[in-house]
Amino acid sequence: IVRLDGVPMIQDGSNRGMLFLLQEVTEIRRLEKMRSEFVANVSHELKTPVAAVKGFAETLLGGGVKDEKTARSFLQIIYDENERLNRLIGDILELSKIESKRAQLECSPVHLIEFFDSLLETLSKVAEKKNISLNATVPEELFMEGDEDKLRQIFINLISNAINYTQDGGSVNVNVVNGQKADGTETVVFTVRDTGMGIPRKDLPRIFERFYRVDKARSRSSGGTGLGLSIVKHLVELHHGSISVESDLGIGSSFILELPLLQEGSH
Ligand code: ADP
């Protein structure tokens, strides 16, 4: 540790106050840096679709495109990019809500088998398009306390990713079991496993960061915003849970979540 003027500091009792101050300053600087990086990233991410919409609209307005097929394909690009912009704005607002601590849990007992039945029904259309088999194994009478809307968002993000990053004909499985932590707290352990492309080992520690993507082009072309997993991580932490990932390149990935069975303070 060095002082702000670069002089090394001795960590004895007399310098403790100074050390504390330094840690505060370092933390504030770190947060400022994160915030300015986030703003830079957001601007960049927003500019890309806006530029695409503008460019293709200008070409169409210029009247240079005579055949209808090309014109339609340009309109489709405009539509898709606009949709992505919409998702991006939604994700950014969601993330800022969670990060500013305005997000609070509205807990109720969630019957997990019913929860996954309805969720998988919603997602089955996307899976069918890629001929991916999508299944969930959930104990019949298992209820957990949680915020159903937020749990939905967690699993929609994880399962959509699993479908997205798995080749046609693969499979995505959700497995739910009771668990227990070392201190005796009862938990529910969820595993979302896919037979997809996997994630390189070096990228694993970073995939929960905002806007971090292993393959930018692939994420963009599949409509990804790069924010899904950071939203998931925040929502899991809001539930006092934890999330980890295991992956083998070319074989598949597993996202493992452990959430408390009951939420403290909601009784
Ligand atoms: P995106 O919108 O790009 O999917 P996410 O935050 O959801 O953003 O995920 C971050 C990155 O992690 C993705 O761009 C992708 O590279 C990688 N990733 C996430 N889930 C999977 C998965 N199931 N299999 C392979 N790669 C994944």
Side-chain angles (χ1 to χ4, degrees), residues 91 157-166 192 194 196-200 206-216 218-220 222-232 245 247 252-255:
D91 278 358
N157 286 3
L158 289 177
I159 298 170
S160 309
N161 274 352
I163 296 172
N164 217 346
Y165 298 106
T166 293
V192 179
D194 65 58
M197 56 201 290
I199 302 161
R206 301 201 57 189
I207 55 168
F208 294 100
E209 289 175 20
R210 298 177 292 202
F211 294 120
Y212 190 82
R213 291 125 157 175
V214 176
D215 179 345
K216 261 195 192 294
R218 196 189 164 89
S219 162
R220 282 236 171 77
S222 61
T225 62
L227 292 173
L229 284 182
S230 46
I231 291 176
V232 166
V245 55
S247 190
S253 311
S254 296
F255 286 81

Side-chain angles (χ1 to χ4, degrees), residues 101-112:
K101 306 267 183 288
R102 270 182 291 133
Q104 285 190 344
L105 292 183
E106 284 177 34
C107 289
S108 62
V110 181
H111 191 192
L112 289 174

